[in-house]
Amino acid sequence: MSRPPLHRPAYELTDAEKRDLTQLINQGKPLPEKYRFILFEDKREVELVWNGKTRDVCTTVLPFQSLEHIDEPRTETKIQEDLFDSRGRQQKGWTNKLIWGDNKLILSSLKSGALRRQIEDAGGLKLIYIDPPFDVGADFSMDIEIGGETFHKEANLLEQIAYRDTWGRGADSFISMIYERLILMRDLMAEDGSIYVHCDWRVVAYIRAVLNEVFGANNFVSEVVWRRSSSTGSSKAISNKFPSNHDTILFFSKTAGQYLYQRQYTPYSDEYLKRFKYDDGDGKGLYRISDLNTYSQATLQRLKAENALIEPKSAGANYSYKRHLQDTKGVVIDDVWVDINFVNPMAGEDTGYATQKPQALLERIIKASSNEGDLVADFFCGSGTTAAVAEKLGRKWIATDLGKFGIHTTRKRLIGVQRELKAAEKNFRAFEVLNLGRYERQAYLNVSGRLTSTQKAEALATKEREFRELILRAYKAEPLQNEPFFHGKNAGRLVVIGPINLPVGRLFVEEVITECRKRGASRADMLAFEFEMGLFPAALEEAKAKGIDLSPKYIPAEVFDKRAVDRGQVVFHDVSFVEAMPRYAKGKSAKDKLTISIELTDFSVYYTQGAAEAAIASMKEGKSEVMCEQGQLIKVSKDKNGVVTRDVLTKLWTDWVDYWAVDFDYLQRKEIIKVPRGLGLAGTLPGVDPVQGELADFEERWTGGYIFENEWQSFRTRQNRKLELTTAEHSYQAPGRYTVAVKVIDIFGNDTMTLVPVNVG
């Protein structure tokens, strides 16, 4: 990073000041604030300053992997037949993108990676709406309904790390997080693009200052006040201040004066319309104004000359304006919005997300600052409201989130939108679920910004070592000394711990396989807090084909509970098990011989959340709580006498299934990614030429995997809890052997896949 140019002030440093500055620099200590303005030129009159501020932003460019392609088949595609295949599924044009991962890495990779060209070809990013996690601590946990009871699912480690990185140092860390991401968003936007940032009283002052610095105060457009509800009943208990009942939405443009804004209206109220006469017999819906008699004669003569008045039909009656109701759009919407309530828990759009925003709110924003066909984005998408509304309004979209359950909720919601638009015979686009194909190693805990690079590396190495020792002790594994890759050994199996703050991906699995073969090892356990979506079973099949028994296991959050570790109560659960069976058509016709359906026959999970015994001990008498223990959700109750009873809520294996989908020909579509030419899959060189500023040249590579073509699915919603266990019939075009992929997503949002071979004809 280059230094600002030296400033030549009228004020000259004294010899003593020069000595003091030299000494402070040699000691690695910060300079007094006054010297920043004396030594360096900075023309900004107002600046937001916080601990650890830097203008450096992430430049990592990682390839995006397409895990799943989702598109409801259309029966009528003649209008745009070149965009669709014979089944009515989209094969050309922009595909909407739902991306799972850290949005800092996503934004950096979108900015300088291969997808940047797709964004530019789609007309550029015209509108961004974000609702960052200003409601601290509430964004990644969720309530899950089972058997009429509610289970509170805590955030996993990756989500906890994101929370810590955002709020670990309070306002400083939040501002650092949003500042870097806003810079990356700005660089992605079209020149006439706009951004809306949603916040509340906690952070609005900070975000306004950050937006001023990133976009420039001249690019401020509006500050919208959204009153969340017409009632303040929930705030009546607050007696020492004015109840809070509004959020703030800050609207900035990329370029001053070049943004799109289309005035929005609300219909006239019933009280207003009572003043009008709708029909005088000719069907034209004429308005009636009661105060024309107060107009001057000159005004009346002008209106008559313009043929804008109708003479009264009787003496003493009023004139009427000759204006048609359909020519009047309504009342102009200003920057105070009081007509949109928060999401009603009983509403059809409710997904159960505490931070979910109403569709009407996003509809107003998207209509105001984009046109049909424009590309809009939400990089904190949560339950997917922005994407759902954008699809309904005919916009292209990109939506990203760190929470796997948020991605899953959005996927279900967008499938519902596709079905809705299909039923109404309206156009819609396919969307794909993506993640980043390779993650760089990052610090899993904050390391003081005042340390030198060497000191940071040493501190990080110490923390990682302590972290792994804790996990190995909980897993009852023997640590391995002087071993560069594997961390331990347990019952004759090598043990490796995956990346601490990121999901284990395909490349890490390939590395495990390679290291096993180097050592002549045939059995290994792979421990991780999170696994990449769609990773299994293909990765395990690859390991098995190379003679390696690879067992992936989830690390439970209880490893951080020293008492649970000491007592041996920490359970590492396996990846879920899926069983599905093909059902062949019973007819004897040629078509019947090519027709199958798939039945989901079993699903097993092994989750445990929280130390049950400790939770029961702390439970108050007369209370009950739902717990997750060894693959069962259990309602634990303690009566007034302290007697504890347990009631299993997950009585059937189907209770764990939230969603399942089928690809009837899984091996037909290879997963192709784009990487900078000349690099392997793990290449992370910047995709932008640092000299020319042009996008680098990319080449296509096959990852060795396949894209899951979502051809049939059944899932639960809050409004409909039913689940089909057998697919509709599917007919193949030709006889032969096919591989069917069955994907199951459980009530926690974790996915498991199995492959089913079929032989038809």
Side-chain angles (χ1 to χ4, degrees):
M1 178 179 174
S2 60
R3 295 173 65 93
L6 280 173
H7 183 49
R8 303 300 180 190
Y11 177 83
E12 293 291 341
L13 294 174
T14 65
D15 291 340
E17 287 174 327
K18 292 176 182 177
R19 286 194 301 270
D20 290 342
L21 284 171
T22 302
Q23 184 177 5
L24 289 170
I25 293 172
N26 289 334
Q27 294 174 348
K29 294 182 179 180
L31 303 183
E33 183 69 11
K34 69 175 184 177
Y35 290 114
R36 184 161 65 92
F37 298 98
I38 295 174
L39 294 173
F40 303 105
E41 182 179 8
D42 194 333
K43 296 181 179 179
R44 287 174 295 178
E45 295 180 357
V46 178
E47 179 187 2
L48 180 62
V49 179
W50 63 91
N51 183 24
K53 180 178 181 179
T54 174
R55 292 173 187 167
D56 292 335
V57 297
C58 179
T59 59
T60 301
V61 179
L62 306 175
F64 288 97
Q65 292 182 334
S66 181
L67 303 175
E68 187 172 347
H69 186 267
I70 303 174
D71 190 18
E72 282 287 310
R74 302 154 175 82
T75 56
E76 178 60 62
T77 60
K78 292 180 180 178
I79 298 176
Q80 304 178 70
E81 57 186 8
D82 61 321
L83 294 179
F84 304 96
D85 61 20
S86 59
R87 300 170 300 162
R89 295 172 67 90
Q90 182 181 326
Q91 60 183 358
K92 292 183 180 179
W94 170 267
T95 301
N96 290 322
K97 307 190 187 307
L98 177 60
I99 309 175
W100 176 50
D102 183 336
N103 57 16
K104 178 174 73 174
L105 295 172
I106 290 171
L107 285 162
S108 175
S109 299
L110 287 175
K111 174 185 172 182
S112 303
L115 279 184
R116 180 62 179 268
R117 284 202 176 100
Q118 288 190 37
I119 293 174
E120 300 299 336
D121 291 344
L125 188 49
K126 295 298 182 68
L127 170 64
I128 297 174
Y129 166 87
I130 59 170
D131 181 16
F134 56 85
D135 187 6
V136 293
D139 295 276
F140 297 118
S141 60
M142 68 203 71
D143 289 334
I144 299 169
E145 296 179 4
I146 289 289
E149 300 290 341
T150 299
F151 170 68
H152 187 72
K153 192 261 183 188
E154 299 293 344
N156 64 28
L157 181 76
L158 271 69
E159 295 163 340
Q160 292 174 27
I161 288 173
Y163 164 72
R164 187 209 59 234
D165 288 346
T166 301
W167 292 103
R169 301 189 310 274
D172 282 353
S173 50
F174 172 78
I175 296 171
S176 294
M177 181 278 293
I178 199 67
Y179 180 72
E180 182 175 13
R181 284 156 176 80
L182 285 173
I183 291 174
L184 290 166
M185 290 180 207
R186 179 199 63 197
D187 294 344
L188 263 176
M189 290 166 60
E191 289 304 312
D192 57 349
S194 303
I195 184 169
Y196 288 71
V197 181
H198 194 132
C199 51
D200 74 352
W201 58 271
R202 297 175 181 87
V203 295
V204 62
Y206 301 131
I207 289 183
R208 176 67 181 269
V210 171
L211 286 165
N212 280 342
E213 187 162 321
V214 173
F215 288 89
N218 291 335
N219 290 346
F220 168 75
V221 180
S222 292
E223 178 177 344
V224 173
V225 172
W226 170 45
R227 185 178 182 184
R228 297 187 300 261
S229 171
S230 57
S231 171
T232 58
S234 61
S235 301
K236 288 181 179 178
I238 301 175
S239 59
N240 61 347
K241 69 173 185 177
F242 295 110
S244 176
N245 197 30
H246 81 276
D247 285 355
T248 300
I249 304 172
L250 299 169
F251 172 15
F252 276 71
S253 65
K254 171 76 174 288
T255 308
Q258 295 187 27
Y259 59 92
L260 172 67
Y261 171 71
Q262 297 169 136
R263 182 174 292 177
Q264 300 296 297
Y265 301 84
T266 54
Y268 289 120
S269 65
D270 291 339
E271 291 76 13
Y272 185 83
L273 292 175
K274 285 177 182 178
R275 298 168 53 197
F276 298 114
K277 178 180 179 182
Y278 285 91
D279 192 353
D280 65 353
D282 65 357
K284 294 183 178 180
L286 301 178
Y287 284 49
R288 175 184 169 193
I289 304 297
S290 60
D291 58 355
L292 279 180
N293 291 329
T294 64
Y295 283 26
S296 68
Q297 288 299 315
T299 299
L300 289 174
Q301 291 300 322
R302 178 177 60 78
L303 293 173
K304 287 180 181 179
E306 295 173 355
N307 198 27
L309 293 178
I310 293 180
E311 297 285 345
K313 294 181 178 179
S314 59
N318 291 322
Y319 285 94
S320 294
Y321 270 116
K322 195 173 184 180
R323 286 196 317 171
H324 295 281
L325 184 62
Q326 58 266 33
D327 294 333
T328 303
K329 297 180 179 179
V331 179
V332 175
I333 295 173
D334 58 22
D335 59 3
V336 179
W337 298 355
V338 298
D339 59 325
I340 300 175
N341 285 347
F342 208 77
V343 177
N344 187 329
M346 303 302 294
E349 68 178 274
D350 181 41
T351 63
Y353 258 71
T355 57
Q356 180 182 351
K357 299 304 180 290
Q359 293 187 28
L361 185 76
L362 271 300
E363 181 177 340
R364 179 168 295 172
I365 291 170
I366 291 172
K367 283 183 174 179
S369 292
S370 70
N371 290 315
E372 190 169 339
D374 282 350
L375 177 59
V376 304
D378 185 345
F379 297 104
F380 297 87
C381 76
S383 61
T385 302
T386 303
V389 175
E391 186 65 61
K392 291 179 181 180
L393 295 178
R395 273 65 167 175
K396 307 181 184 85
W397 54 265
I398 298 172
T400 80
D401 202 80
L402 177 65
K404 184 181 284 188
F405 196 84
I407 294 295
H408 172 51
T409 301
T410 301
R411 169 172 37 202
K412 291 197 300 182
R413 194 170 182 180
L414 266 297
I415 291 173
V417 172
Q418 285 190 349
R419 292 176 176 179
E420 179 184 327
L421 294 174
K422 177 182 177 181
E425 299 184 349
K426 295 181 179 179
N427 291 333
F428 57 90
R429 293 181 182 274
F431 70 96
E432 55 186 339
V433 181
L434 307 170
N435 67 6
L436 294 173
R438 178 184 182 274
Y439 288 98
E440 287 193 333
R441 188 182 189 88
Q442 296 179 332
Y444 80 96
L445 290 174
N446 289 324
V447 178
S448 172
R450 296 190 182 280
L451 299 178
T452 66
S453 57
T454 301
Q455 290 171 329
K456 285 183 180 179
E458 291 174 351
L460 177 58
T462 300
K463 290 182 178 180
E464 288 185 338
R465 183 178 63 255
E466 293 171 350
F467 179 82
R468 292 195 184 98
E469 288 173 354
L470 184 65
I471 293 175
L472 290 173
R473 189 154 60 91
Y475 195 58
K476 301 180 176 67
E478 176 189 353
L480 292 177
Q481 304 298 329
N482 303 318
E483 164 59 49
F485 185 79
F486 290 98
H487 303 113
K489 197 171 185 179
N490 186 336
R493 302 178 67 90
L494 290 173
V495 178
V496 62
I497 300 170
I500 294 169
N501 67 329
L502 296 165
V504 161
R506 184 174 296 133
L507 291 173
F508 185 84
V509 174
E510 291 175 0
E511 196 173 358
V512 174
I513 294 171
T514 300
E515 294 296 331
C516 280
R517 298 184 75 182
K518 283 182 182 178
R519 292 159 178 77
S522 61
R523 298 185 299 168
D525 293 341
M526 184 170 57
L527 313 182
F529 286 99
E530 194 78 87
F531 293 99
E532 204 173 75
M533 290 188 287
L535 181 61
F536 307 116
L540 299 184
E541 291 295 326
E542 180 183 350
K544 185 178 179 181
K546 295 179 179 179
I548 297 168
D549 174 17
L550 184 60
S551 177
K553 293 181 182 293
Y554 284 101
I555 303 171
E558 289 75 48
V559 294
F560 297 110
D561 185 343
K562 187 176 183 299
R563 292 174 300 175
V565 173
D566 292 340
R567 294 171 184 171
Q569 296 174 335
V570 179
V571 179
F572 290 71
H573 54 270
D574 298 318
V575 173
S576 304
F577 165 79
V578 178
E579 181 182 78
M581 300 293 292
R583 303 302 181 198
Y584 295 90
K586 296 181 179 180
K588 296 183 179 181
S589 68
K591 182 178 180 181
D592 289 334
K593 293 180 180 179
L594 298 175
T595 300
I596 67 165
S597 57
I598 299 294
E599 181 184 359
L600 185 64
T601 54
D602 197 8
F603 180 64
S604 301
V605 299
Y606 308 95
Y607 298 133
T608 294
Q609 175 177 299
E613 297 305 322
I616 293 171
S618 63
M619 186 185 302
K620 293 181 179 179
E621 295 178 353
K623 298 294 183 180
S624 63
E625 187 175 338
V626 178
M627 303 177 183
C628 183
E629 187 176 30
Q630 296 184 359
Q632 295 286 0
L633 287 186
I634 302 170
K635 182 180 180 181
V636 180
S637 303
K638 182 183 288 187
D639 65 17
K640 294 181 179 179
N641 298 318
V643 177
V644 175
T645 57
R646 296 169 178 250
D647 180 25
V648 177
L649 301 179
T650 45
K651 302 182 185 302
L652 302 171
W653 62 265
T654 52
D655 292 337
W656 280 100
V657 180
D658 187 68
Y659 168 107
W660 73 290
V662 175
D663 181 345
F664 289 96
D665 189 6
Y666 178 59
L667 303 183
Q668 69 163 327
R669 187 173 177 185
K670 293 181 177 181
E671 181 193 17
I672 306 296
I673 64 172
K674 292 184 177 181
V675 298
R677 189 172 297 279
L679 294 180
L681 295 181
T684 58
L685 286 182
V688 170
D689 187 308
V691 177
Q692 302 296 329
E694 299 290 337
L695 283 174
D697 189 19
F698 291 86
E699 61 182 352
E700 294 185 343
R701 299 283 183 86
W702 179 35
T703 65
Y706 297 87
I707 295 175
F708 184 90
E709 288 273 10
N710 194 315
E711 298 186 88
W712 182 94
Q713 68 283 130
S714 178
F715 53 86
R716 306 182 197 272
T717 65
R718 290 176 68 84
Q719 292 73 35
N720 184 3
R721 306 302 298 167
K722 293 182 179 180
L723 192 74
E724 298 175 69
L725 295 178
T726 303
T727 70
E729 289 188 336
H730 174 83
S731 296
Y732 292 96
Q733 298 295 315
R737 290 183 60 84
Y738 296 88
T739 298
V740 177
V742 178
K743 176 182 291 189
V744 176
I745 299 179
D746 64 36
I747 58 177
F748 288 171
N750 296 312
D751 68 307
T752 309
M753 195 164 72
T754 190
L755 303 180
V756 181
V758 299
N759 195 351
V760 297

